[in-house]
Amino acid sequence: VWDVSRSVDLLQTLDYVDHRIGVMGHSMGGWMTLFSMAVETRLRVGIVSCGFQGLNGVGQYIRPRPG
């Protein structure tokens, strides 16, 4: 999710990108999309394909943010 937020930061600095930013993902990318949409308010739309497995075991994919 941190990576997605930094990507949105970059996109908003580009003159040729309007601020209707969306995200989509399949499998693990779908998981990232789901949680990114929950916390990143600048995303307008999200498309998830095969990316949700329930919350059991999700902790194995969460790593502390660098720094």
Side-chain angles (χ1 to χ4, degrees):
V1 175
W2 182 82
D3 297 344
V4 173
S5 291
R6 300 300 66 81
S7 298
V8 174
D9 289 342
L10 173 69
L11 289 170
Q12 288 187 325
T13 67
L14 303 174
D15 293 334
Y16 56 88
V17 175
D18 68 21
H19 294 283
R20 296 176 296 175
I21 299 171
V23 62
M24 64 181 274
H26 175 76
S27 192
M28 188 63 176
W31 182 89
M32 180 72 81
T33 297
L34 182 69
F35 284 90
S36 295
M37 289 296 296
V39 299
E40 179 54 70
T41 60
R42 298 174 293 174
L43 295 171
R44 297 291 184 103
V45 66
I47 300 170
V48 176
S49 172
C50 304
F52 195 71
Q53 65 183 19
L55 296 178
N56 261 356
V58 167
Q60 68 184 341
Y61 301 113
I62 298 173
R63 303 283 184 264
R65 192 170 78 182

